[in-house]
Amino acid sequence: MENRTYHHGNLREALVDAGVALARAGGPSAVVLRAVSREAGVSHNAAYRHFADHQDLLAAVAARCMEQLGLLMVRRTAEVAEDDPVLRAWARLAAIGRAYVDFALTEHGWFRTAFSGATAHGAKHALTDPDAGRTDPYTLLAARLDELVTVGELPPERRPGAEYAAWSAVHGLADLLVDGPLRDLPAEEVAFAVETVLAAVARGL
Amino acid sequence: MENRTYHHGNLREALVDAGVALARAGGPSAVVLRAVSREAGVSHNAAYRHFADHQDLLAAVAARCMEQLGLLMVRRTAEVAEDDPVLRAWARLAAIGRAYVDFALTEHGWFRTAFSGATAHGAKHALTDPDAGRTDPYTLLAARLDELVTVGELPPERRPGAEYAAWSAVHGLADLLVDGPLRDLPAEEVAFAVETVLAAVARGL
DNA sequence: CGTGCATGTTGACAATGACAACATGCGGTG
DNA sequence: CACCGCATGTTGTCATTGTCAACATGCACG
């Protein structure tokens, strides 16, 4: 954390860290170039040596937020204790769905940041990062759907495009609850909505 | 359009109109107070006589964008030509779902603006507006679901919360396609995703 | 022991949201 | 009809932000 010398050492990481911290509390609009630099104990414009512009920095922060989402999904998947393969497959699918919504509700700022900006470009070097796909929400979902096929609960001819159905439903619910018209829903109604959507997804696959 | 006098006449409407025009092309971030004032042929700060702040103006513009979405849904619903009541009910549900996604894709800026900001406050005087609920997307969806119950296609015990399932799926798909990770999906894959999601929704209800 | 070039810094500029002080003129009052 | 209050617009100003340009520093390599 010390400003060892004139040169920071690994400013890029420090900037992203600061951005992630700001994003957590204030969402994407809080990831301000100058504020991030300030937080990193460095002068504004220093960031331009590591990021093309504000958008570029935001994309890097967004990637980290997305990773946080993925990590929670992984954790929740691991927590599923169910021996029967069929029930376990369904439980795991539900677990990542619940994780997705929970993340959106409890880590409001991170969730909104994760989906704000061009994540596509930042993911370019995902090929070099060995376990990048390990926490990618899309990949995690695909694994659950594959598992459902394996245990014989999802007809193989229904497998193509199944991600779209599951992901859309859960993501839409999260977005409506966090940012959208369902923002002020009372807590028990939120819980009801989540269960309803998850049940509908399971039936709809 | 003439600046009749020193006093504009109905500046509020003019400002919202300008905001809607800017939002159409550039999304919510294009709804800039000064740009809107400029567009309305009035000096910056004039808007402060009609809106508390930027957020307030944006909410008004968002309401109009939401109304545009509702209007497309109404139009598409009316276009459904199907005599059989059962098939008509399903066709109408699919029509508003498709309208939702089509709107998001073709009116990118409007869609993002409609869901950016606190629509809740702007909708407060919806009670005074006679046909405000007539174009409210949520109300339109509820009508379709009620129709499904009426024709006996949706068990009444499944009716509660059905909005969450249908709305979440379609909204999530729209958001992912427009702003999210599915942004750069090729056209035919987009079409496939839409059909897959709509089919899953129908099964999941 | 120098020196080049990546990395940080200082300074500047235009755009924006917001506030304060001032200008204008419509509508109601005498 | 003359007057004036108050809603409505305007001008001026300020802090913040993203971005560019010019300059400073010092690590790594010769």
Side-chain angles (χ1 to χ4, degrees):
Chain A
M1 288 298 168
E2 295 298 314
N3 191 353
R4 339 176 168 224
T5 74
Y6 183 91
H7 286 41
H8 187 285
N10 60 342
L11 184 54
R12 185 184 169 104
E13 286 306 305
L15 289 171
V16 176
D17 284 344
V20 169
L22 290 174
R24 185 172 202 173
S29 66
V31 183
V32 175
L33 210 47
R34 293 169 101 106
V36 168
S37 303
R38 229 173 287 148
E39 207 72 13
V42 104
S43 234
H44 76 276
N45 271 352
Y48 282 99
R49 298 298 163 186
H50 300 273
F51 302 95
D53 55 5
H54 179 223
Q55 192 59 224
D56 194 26
L57 166 63
L58 189 60
V61 173
R64 285 272 268 274
C65 294
M66 191 69 86
E67 193 182 343
Q68 289 297 318
L69 168 57
L71 286 175
L72 181 63
M73 292 170 72
V74 168
R75 227 176 305 146
R76 293 287 184 84
T77 305
E79 283 172 17
V80 171
E82 172 62 57
D83 290 332
D84 180 62
V86 169
L87 293 180
R88 184 174 52 210
W90 285 113
R92 281 178 172 170
L93 178 65
I96 66 170
R98 254 183 271 274
Y100 201 100
V101 178
D102 285 358
F103 184 82
L105 291 175
T106 62
E107 293 293 355
H108 191 155
W110 274 350
F111 181 76
R112 282 174 41 200
T113 306
F115 289 93
S116 82
T119 44
H121 304 296
K124 208 191 284 182
H125 65 99
L127 297 175
T128 69
D129 192 343
D131 66 349
R134 207 61 60 87
T135 61
D136 174 39
Y138 182 87
T139 306
L140 294 172
L141 172 59
R144 293 310 111 222
L145 294 171
D146 286 341
E147 185 181 15
L148 280 173
V149 173
T150 302
V151 301
E153 287 289 290
L154 181 61
E157 67 269 21
R158 282 259 183 83
R159 179 64 186 79
E163 289 97 338
Y164 298 137
W167 194 7
S168 292
V170 173
H171 179 77
L173 177 61
D175 194 44
L176 292 174
L177 288 174
V178 167
D179 249 350
L182 301 184
R183 189 176 339 168
D184 299 321
L185 223 55
E188 77 272 10
E189 187 71 9
V190 169
F192 172 63
V194 172
E195 295 313 308
T196 305
V197 169
L198 290 181
V201 168
R203 276 193 303 268
L205 289 180
Chain B
M1 291 298 168
E2 292 300 316
N3 189 352
R4 333 169 173 229
T5 73
Y6 182 90
H7 286 41
H8 186 285
N10 61 342
L11 182 57
R12 185 183 169 102
E13 287 306 305
L15 289 171
V16 176
D17 284 344
V20 169
L22 290 174
R24 186 172 201 172
S29 66
V31 184
V32 174
L33 238 123
R34 294 169 102 107
V36 168
S37 302
R38 230 173 289 148
E39 207 73 12
V42 103
S43 235
H44 75 274
N45 274 350
Y48 283 101
R49 298 298 163 188
H50 299 274
F51 301 95
D53 55 4
H54 179 224
Q55 191 60 225
D56 194 26
L57 166 64
L58 189 61
V61 173
R64 285 271 269 276
C65 294
M66 191 68 85
E67 193 183 344
Q68 289 297 318
L69 167 57
L71 286 174
L72 181 63
M73 291 170 73
V74 168
R75 226 176 305 146
R76 293 286 185 84
T77 305
E79 283 172 16
V80 171
E82 172 61 59
D83 291 331
D84 179 61
V86 169
L87 294 181
R88 184 173 53 210
W90 285 115
R92 281 179 172 170
L93 178 65
I96 65 170
R98 255 183 270 273
Y100 202 100
V101 178
D102 285 357
F103 184 83
L105 291 174
T106 61
E107 293 293 354
H108 191 156
W110 274 351
F111 181 76
R112 282 173 43 199
T113 307
F115 289 93
S116 82
T119 44
H121 304 297
K124 208 191 285 183
H125 65 100
L127 298 174
T128 68
D129 193 341
D131 65 348
R134 206 62 61 87
T135 60
D136 173 40
Y138 181 86
T139 307
L140 294 172
L141 171 60
R144 293 310 111 223
L145 294 172
D146 287 342
E147 186 181 14
L148 280 174
V149 174
T150 301
V151 301
E153 287 290 291
L154 181 62
E157 67 271 18
R158 281 261 183 82
R159 178 64 186 79
E163 290 96 338
Y164 298 137
W167 195 6
S168 291
V170 174
H171 178 77
L173 177 61
D175 194 43
L176 292 174
L177 287 174
V178 167
D179 249 350
L182 301 185
R183 192 176 336 168
D184 298 322
L185 223 55
E188 76 272 8
E189 187 69 10
V190 169
F192 172 63
V194 172
E195 296 312 310
T196 304
V197 169
L198 290 181
V201 168
R203 276 194 302 268
L205 289 180

